[in-house]
Amino acid sequence: MRVKAIVAYDGTDYSGFQRQSNAESIQAALETALAQLTGEAVRVSGSGRTDAGVHAAGQVVAFDVNWRHELAALQRAMNALLPEAIAVLRVAEAAGDFDPRRHARSRWYRYSIYNAPVRNPLSNRYSLHVPQTLDVSAMQAAATSLLGWHDFSAFGSPPQGRCAIREVLRAEWQQADTGLTFDIVANAFLFRMVRMLVGTMLRVGQGALTPQRFAEILHTQDRSGAGPAAGARGLTLMAVHYNALTESGT
Amino acid sequence: MRVKAIVAYDGTDYSGFQRQSNAESIQAALETALAQLTGEAVRVSGSGRTDAGVHAAGQVVAFDVNWRHELAALQRAMNALLPEAIAVLRVAEAAGDFDPRRHARSRWYRYSIYNAPVRNPLSNRYSLHVPQTLDVSAMQAAATSLLGWHDFSAFGSPPQGRCAIREVLRAEWQQADTGLTFDIVANAFLFRMVRMLVGTMLRVGQGALTPQRFAEILHTQDRSGAGPAAGARGLTLMAVHYNALTESGT
C-alpha cells in the first residue's frame, strides 16, 4: 500500500530532511520508525529537501508499506516511535505512483522574524532576531516584484544544469507587534532560495537596497548582488499543494 | 548601584531559577555574566524561584553592581555574554533596598496547552500536549472558584511552617484554535501551585472531576484530591508587578 503522510518537525537538531551519512535526518528518523514497525526496510520520499535547521508544519512524504491494520493505527504507532521533534499529522492511502516531489503543484514557506531591540529566548528557536527597525512597505514592494515567472538564478542554484525558472504565486510580508512573517508560495524553489530572498529583502528593509535595485538583481540574475542567506531557524515549510487528481484523499 | 532587570528565559535546559550545586540555573548564568563583566562576585536575587523547565517572559531580578557607564551598556554587555536562552529585556536603577521577592505585589503566570489529537513539534517546547477534548467552560467554572483569598494547602506547600493563604486576582482560561491558555495572577504562589491547579483543572476538563468537586478540594485543603501537577514546559512567568513606590522607574 502506498501511503501519503503529512509530517511536522522541529528541524533545529537535524541535518535536514534528506538522509545523510553521519548526520541525523528527518528521512532517516521516519525510515527507522517504519522499519521498527514493519520489520522491513522502507524508503520514504519527501516533497523536497529542507535544509539543516529548517522546520516543517506540513512536509508531505510517501512510502510503500505492508500494513494490514487501519491507517490510524499506523499513524499512532509511528508517533509513538518517532522522536518528540517529529510528528505524523495525517496519513492517507495514495495512488500507487504518487510522488510527493514530482506531483507537487506548489509549496508554501513561511519565514519568521522577531523584530525588537533585544532577542527573545522564547521565540529564538523559530525566528530570526533582527534588532533594527525595518521598512516593511519597502520590503513588500520588493516582494511584489517576485510574483510571476522569473529566472531566480540570482537567489539560488537549480539542480545540476537544470533551469532556474520558477513561478511565484504569493509573496507577502505581514507585521504584528514584534513579529514579522514572510509567506511565499511557488511552484518550486531553488536550493536556499527563500533564505536568500529574505536575506536580500532584509537589506531592503534596512535601507541598504531600494526595492528597484532588488528587482534589478532579480532581472539581471546577478548572484553577487543577492544575499546573504537569512538563518535557517526562521524558516518553516508550511504546506505542499497537489492537484486533486494526484492527491488521493487527504 | 542597585539595578532592577527584567529577564526572559527558555527554561528547558535549566534546573530552575535558583542556583544549585551540580546543575545549571538561571541565577548562576546571570551571576557568571556579571562576574565576567565587573571582575567581582555579584549576587542576583529574583522575584521567586521558577522550577526546572519553567520559562519566563518577565522574571524580575536585582543586584548591586559597580558600573560607571550607561545602564544600556550594561544590558548590551550582559546580553552579549549570556547564553542564547537568557536575555535581559530591560534594566533600570532601583532603590538601594529594592527586594524583587518581598516587594512584589503580584505575579502573573501563563500555562499553555496544545489541544489536538497529534502532538505539534513546533509548540512542544512551550506547551503541554493534551489530545483529549476538554470542557473549557467547566475548567473556567473551576478557575473562578480560585478567585479571592484562600488557603491553597491542597495545591502546594508553603515555605516551612508558613501560611498557605494567598489571594488570586485573576484566573482565566482562553481558547483559540488548538491553543488553550490559563492566566493566573496572585499576590504569591506556593511551590508547584500553578502546575497543581492546572493538572487538577485538566481533570475537570476531561470530566473526571466536577467544578464543584474542584472547589471542595480547595476548601477542604485535601491534598490527596488534587493533581497530578501538569508538566513544567507549559508554564511561563509572564510578569511581576510592584507598587509604584518600590518599583523605581521601570
Side-chain angles (χ1 to χ4, degrees):
Chain A
M1 179 198 300
R2 189 143 182 89
V3 174
K4 174 187 177 185
I6 315 287
V7 178
Y9 46 85
D10 177 329
T12 309
D13 299 326
Y14 289 86
S15 62
F17 179 80
Q18 193 165 64
R19 183 185 273 283
Q20 295 184 18
S21 51
N22 302 327
E24 298 259 1
S25 69
I26 305 297
Q27 182 186 9
L30 291 167
E31 290 175 352
T32 301
L34 285 166
Q36 284 180 270
L37 269 176
T38 62
E40 294 171 9
V42 177
R43 169 85 187 175
V44 173
S45 312
S47 72
R49 306 181 185 193
T50 53
D51 284 356
V54 172
H55 314 292
Q59 170 70 285
V60 175
V61 305
F63 49 86
D64 293 313
V65 71
N66 289 313
W67 187 259
R68 293 188 201 96
H69 317 285
E70 290 194 357
L71 274 179
L74 176 67
Q75 181 186 3
R76 278 196 301 276
M78 288 182 75
N79 282 328
L81 289 169
L82 283 166
E84 264 203 350
I86 308 176
V88 177
L89 304 185
R90 283 196 299 178
V91 288
E93 189 166 354
D97 67 345
F98 173 64
D99 181 328
R101 187 180 64 74
R102 286 199 308 111
H103 293 159
R105 205 181 53 190
S106 65
R107 282 99 173 153
W108 167 24
Y109 278 94
R110 172 171 288 173
Y111 198 95
S112 298
I113 288 168
Y114 180 73
N115 188 25
V118 179
R119 70 173 179 269
N120 179 353
L122 299 178
S123 68
N124 208 29
R125 203 171 170 93
Y126 306 110
S127 60
L128 178 74
H129 175 223
V130 177
Q132 299 91 345
T133 304
L134 295 168
D135 180 345
V136 181
S137 62
M139 290 160 76
Q140 183 55 48
T144 301
S145 67
L146 299 172
L147 292 171
W149 291 94
H150 299 282
D151 182 319
F152 284 95
S153 295
F155 297 102
S157 318
Q160 299 181 325
R162 306 272 284 284
C163 112
I165 295 174
R166 300 289 184 274
E167 183 185 21
V168 171
L169 303 158
R170 182 181 168 209
E172 200 174 313
W173 284 97
Q174 289 186 67
Q175 190 167 26
D177 238 348
T178 50
L180 211 62
T181 56
F182 176 62
D183 287 298
I184 184 164
V185 177
N187 63 342
F189 290 89
L190 305 175
F191 179 65
R192 289 219 162 165
M193 179 171 151
V194 183
R195 292 166 56 193
M196 287 292 282
L197 287 170
V198 168
T200 314
M201 283 187 281
L202 281 173
R203 286 167 58 209
V204 174
Q206 290 160 353
L209 285 182
T210 63
Q212 293 70 30
R213 177 65 193 133
F214 178 88
E216 277 168 36
I217 293 168
L218 171 65
H219 296 134
T220 58
Q221 298 150 37
D222 172 14
R223 182 82 58 93
S224 68
R233 61 174 64 186
L235 186 58
T236 302
L237 172 57
M238 299 298 286
V240 186
H241 303 290
Y242 294 86
N243 283 318
L245 280 176
T246 56
E247 192 171 10
S248 318
T250 61
Chain B
M1 179 198 302
R2 189 143 183 87
V3 174
K4 174 188 177 185
I6 315 286
V7 178
Y9 45 85
D10 178 329
T12 309
D13 299 326
Y14 290 87
S15 62
F17 179 80
Q18 193 166 62
R19 183 185 275 282
Q20 296 183 20
S21 52
N22 302 327
E24 299 259 359
S25 68
I26 305 297
Q27 182 186 9
L30 291 166
E31 290 176 351
T32 300
L34 286 165
Q36 284 180 272
L37 267 176
T38 62
E40 293 171 11
V42 177
R43 169 86 187 176
V44 173
S45 312
S47 72
R49 307 180 184 192
T50 52
D51 286 354
V54 172
H55 315 292
Q59 169 71 286
V60 175
V61 305
F63 49 86
D64 293 312
V65 71
N66 290 313
W67 187 259
R68 294 190 198 94
H69 317 286
E70 289 195 359
L71 275 179
L74 176 66
Q75 181 186 4
R76 277 196 302 275
M78 288 182 74
N79 281 329
L81 289 169
L82 283 166
E84 264 202 351
I86 308 176
V88 177
L89 304 185
R90 283 196 301 179
V91 288
E93 189 166 355
D97 66 348
F98 173 64
D99 181 327
R101 187 179 63 76
R102 287 199 309 112
H103 293 160
R105 207 181 48 191
S106 65
R107 284 98 172 154
W108 167 25
Y109 278 93
R110 173 170 288 174
Y111 198 95
S112 298
I113 288 169
Y114 179 72
N115 188 25
V118 179
R119 69 173 180 269
N120 180 353
L122 299 178
S123 68
N124 208 27
R125 205 172 169 92
Y126 305 110
S127 59
L128 178 73
H129 174 224
V130 176
Q132 299 90 347
T133 304
L134 295 168
D135 180 345
V136 182
S137 62
M139 290 161 75
Q140 183 55 49
T144 301
S145 68
L146 299 171
L147 293 170
W149 291 93
H150 299 282
D151 183 319
F152 283 94
S153 295
F155 297 102
S157 318
Q160 299 183 325
R162 304 275 283 285
C163 111
I165 295 173
R166 301 289 185 274
E167 184 185 21
V168 171
L169 303 157
R170 182 181 168 210
E172 201 173 311
W173 285 97
Q174 290 186 68
Q175 190 167 25
D177 237 349
T178 51
L180 210 63
T181 57
F182 176 62
D183 286 298
I184 184 164
V185 178
N187 64 342
F189 289 90
L190 306 176
F191 178 65
R192 288 218 164 167
M193 179 170 147
V194 183
R195 292 166 57 194
M196 287 291 283
L197 287 170
V198 169
T200 314
M201 283 188 282
L202 281 173
R203 287 167 57 209
V204 174
Q206 291 160 354
L209 285 182
T210 62
Q212 292 71 28
R213 177 65 194 136
F214 179 87
E216 278 169 35
I217 293 169
L218 171 65
H219 296 132
T220 58
Q221 297 150 39
D222 173 13
R223 182 83 58 92
S224 68
R233 61 174 66 184
L235 186 59
T236 302
L237 172 57
M238 299 297 288
V240 186
H241 303 291
Y242 294 88
N243 283 317
L245 281 174
T246 56
E247 192 171 15
S248 318
T250 63

